[in-house]
Amino acid sequence: MIKTNFKAALKARRAKSYLLTFAVFSLLWLNDVKAQTALNPGDICFVGYYRVSASNAGFSFVTLNRISRGTVIYITEMGVDGTTGWGLAPEGYIKWTVGNSTGQDLLPGAIVSVVSPQTTGGLVANMRTAAGATVTITSEFAGSVAPSATFNMSSGGDPLLIFQTKSPSKTFTQINDANLPLTDINFITGITTDYNSATINSVTKWTSGTQDGRVDGITSVQESTVPPGLTNGANCISLGAAGTNENYAKYTGALSGSRAEIIARMNNPSNWDAVTTPTTTITLANFTGNVVLPVVFNGLKAELKNSKLIVDWSTVSENNNAYFEVQGSSNGVDFIKLGTVSSKGNNGNSSEPLSYQFIADANGSLLLSGFGILTLLGGVLLLRLQKRKSILFLVSACIFLPALTITSCTKSIKAPDSTADQKIFIRIAQVDKDGTSSFSKVVHAVVNN
């Protein structure tokens, strides 16, 4: 009898241990996903570059997608050589952690100006948000921490590259092939102002690397091939004129239109003023007006209630908007389409706030994978399962559950304010009339049964 009770207690303790481990892992994993926005090429575009002297230099860029607070982004003037490695010498970088000073997500349409980035102490960054407010965001930026090289924009033209690491928690002190291989990089955009007639690629307008047929590849720290994953004129830009290296370049094109139109303009050299010898800086004052995008999201909430998934969101303004696509995910990374909702704007246009709602039949199958289903069961079943075979059966069943039919509704109601962590992730994709799209922030569906 004592032996039987001991075995039962041991099984119960093991089950609780499995549950605790699972819960801790889930919480840590969720916090990491929530804090990072995986940006795509073109989500950030350069709009300014200048170097008067080593202590008087800077650059400006525009954000064209929502970036969650805590997202880590890197900026470097280290070039790359083809798709196999970085340039000739290790260099420094600037690390930007979005939202440290404001605690908020960054809405698309912000213009960011970074001045004197050569040293950590001298770096100053200002931002004009999509709503037109100007704020100083110095605390979000960390200057170069490299021991042997610093972020140092060259007097002879230089590339600037913006990227994310595929592992946001990765640490490194300087950029080189050993510390940060290109296989761990997702490039978002780039600009180069260097022109070497002996090494320039006539097609890409960036330097020819070893994979372009040059035996020695790039020849100086000021050169770079097109970063892997980017295309010149589409999501990165070369401004070096034949025989010259430009040290002052400013975007002069329009700041309104569809996302695709704005990206195309900002990466077109004909929309830039570029000169070899600058005499002034480029700050927010050089850009009149704000970036106007098709849709600026305001709020987004999701809940699971009475076997229904209810998603509520609103927009500040809409321009040339076609429809919204509600997307769901079990891991915060891989999303699938759940349904669509048409724009309420007049022909897709509105200068007034609009509210939307989407309702879908949950019934367990909407949870998309075993990971999500296990969490929504809340661990109760795990505590009751006394045999490992039962646990394996549950996991297997969760993985292969089929999806059910989705229905939608645009009736507007207020969603609950509960913030409990759940394992169904929801985001909204806004689709322009030209077919391009941008995304809202990602939220967790809250259980309110």
Side-chain angles (χ1 to χ4, degrees):
M1 184 68 169
I2 295 177
K3 185 176 181 180
T4 301
N5 291 340
F6 175 79
K7 286 184 176 181
L10 181 60
K11 287 182 178 180
R13 180 173 296 180
R14 285 176 177 172
K16 291 179 180 178
S17 177
Y18 295 151
L19 175 62
L20 179 60
T21 302
F22 177 78
V24 171
F25 169 80
S26 300
L27 181 60
L28 293 174
W29 182 84
L30 274 171
N31 287 338
D32 182 63
V33 171
K34 185 177 181 180
Q36 297 295 320
T37 297
L39 297 172
N40 296 310
D43 281 347
I44 294 177
C45 290
F46 280 109
V47 291
Y49 176 107
Y50 77 92
R51 187 193 188 279
V52 177
S53 64
S55 60
N56 187 3
F59 55 88
S60 302
F61 57 85
V62 166
T63 62
L64 294 173
N65 213 337
R66 186 171 191 134
I67 306 178
S68 300
R69 62 190 184 278
T71 297
V72 176
I73 300 169
Y74 296 95
I75 307 160
T76 184
E77 29 88 43
M78 177 80 165
V80 297
D81 185 6
T83 60
T84 57
W86 290 96
L88 293 182
E91 298 203 39
Y93 58 89
I94 293 172
K95 181 180 180 180
W96 181 27
T97 304
V98 175
N100 280 0
S101 62
T102 62
Q104 301 295 320
D105 292 353
L106 181 58
L107 294 177
I111 303 176
V112 180
S113 171
V114 179
V115 179
S116 300
Q118 316 297 66
T119 61
T120 303
L123 185 150
V124 176
N126 292 303
M127 176 176 69
R128 187 161 67 233
T129 67
T134 299
V135 294
T136 299
I137 54 174
T138 306
S139 62
E140 296 183 8
F141 284 85
S144 174
V145 295
S148 61
T150 60
F151 190 100
N152 185 8
M153 295 170 65
S154 172
S155 59
D158 225 352
L160 284 179
L161 309 180
I162 298 181
F163 65 89
Q164 289 180 297
T165 60
K166 294 179 180 179
S167 303
S169 59
K170 184 179 182 66
T171 59
F172 52 94
T173 56
Q174 63 182 9
I175 294 179
N176 58 32
D177 293 338
N179 291 340
L180 194 64
L182 290 189
T183 53
D184 191 42
I185 295 297
N186 286 325
F187 286 101
I188 303 165
T189 191
I191 184 173
T192 181
T193 61
D194 180 84
Y195 190 102
N196 183 336
S197 58
T199 60
I200 197 73
N201 184 301
S202 60
V203 176
T204 68
K205 305 301 181 183
W206 291 58
T207 302
S208 293
T210 52
Q211 293 187 347
D212 296 311
R214 285 184 52 80
V215 176
D216 52 353
I218 60 177
T219 60
S220 79
V221 295
Q222 298 167 207
E223 296 178 347
S224 177
T225 62
V226 176
L230 300 184
T231 302
N232 187 60
N235 40 46
C236 64
I237 186 169
S238 172
L239 291 172
T244 64
N245 298 318
E246 312 294 2
N247 276 320
Y248 177 95
K250 183 175 74 71
Y251 173 73
T252 58
L255 295 175
S256 62
S258 71
R259 181 176 180 274
E261 290 171 340
I262 293 175
I263 293 174
R265 290 196 205 108
M266 289 181 175
N267 290 290
N268 185 342
S270 64
N271 295 321
W272 287 68
D273 282 340
V275 297
T276 303
T277 307
T279 58
T280 184
T281 62
I282 298 176
T283 64
L284 292 179
N286 294 99
F287 302 100
T288 58
N290 297 311
V291 177
V292 180
L293 292 166
V295 168
V296 176
F297 286 99
N298 185 20
L300 171 61
K301 294 180 181 179
E303 67 169 333
L304 288 162
K305 186 175 182 178
N306 298 327
S307 299
K308 300 290 184 181
L309 170 68
I310 304 172
V311 183
D312 290 273
W313 72 96
S314 60
T315 61
V316 176
S317 61
E318 299 183 25
N319 179 31
N320 203 40
N321 180 29
Y323 62 90
F324 299 96
E325 182 176 289
V326 181
Q327 300 180 349
S329 170
S330 64
N331 60 11
V333 177
D334 303 307
F335 285 84
I336 66 170
K337 175 182 174 181
L338 302 180
T340 60
V341 177
S342 299
S343 170
K344 290 183 178 180
N346 182 16
N347 197 27
N349 301 300
S350 174
S351 59
E352 301 294 330
L354 295 174
S355 297
Y356 296 87
Q357 185 177 83
F358 171 88
I359 298 177
D361 185 11
N363 286 333
S365 64
L366 180 61
L367 306 184
L368 308 177
S369 79
F371 186 83
I373 295 174
L374 282 174
T375 303
L376 285 178
L377 288 175
V380 176
L381 293 179
L382 285 178
L383 286 175
R384 293 179 179 176
L385 291 172
Q386 300 296 317
K387 297 181 179 181
R388 293 184 180 180
K389 291 182 179 179
S390 299
I391 296 177
L392 291 174
F393 173 78
L394 176 62
V395 173
S396 300
C398 290
I399 293 175
F400 294 102
L401 281 177
L404 294 183
T405 303
I406 304 301
T407 59
S408 66
C409 174
T410 57
K411 181 179 178 182
S412 179
I413 63 172
K414 183 178 179 182
D417 293 326
S418 173
T419 57
D421 283 334
Q422 299 300 329
K423 306 304 184 293
I424 298 302
F425 298 87
I426 298 296
R427 74 179 182 185
I428 307 296
Q430 174 272 319
V431 183
D432 297 350
K433 290 183 178 180
D434 64 4
T436 60
S437 60
S438 60
F439 298 94
S440 70
K441 65 180 178 180
V442 176
V443 299
H444 301 148
V446 177
V447 173
N448 279 306
N449 287 330

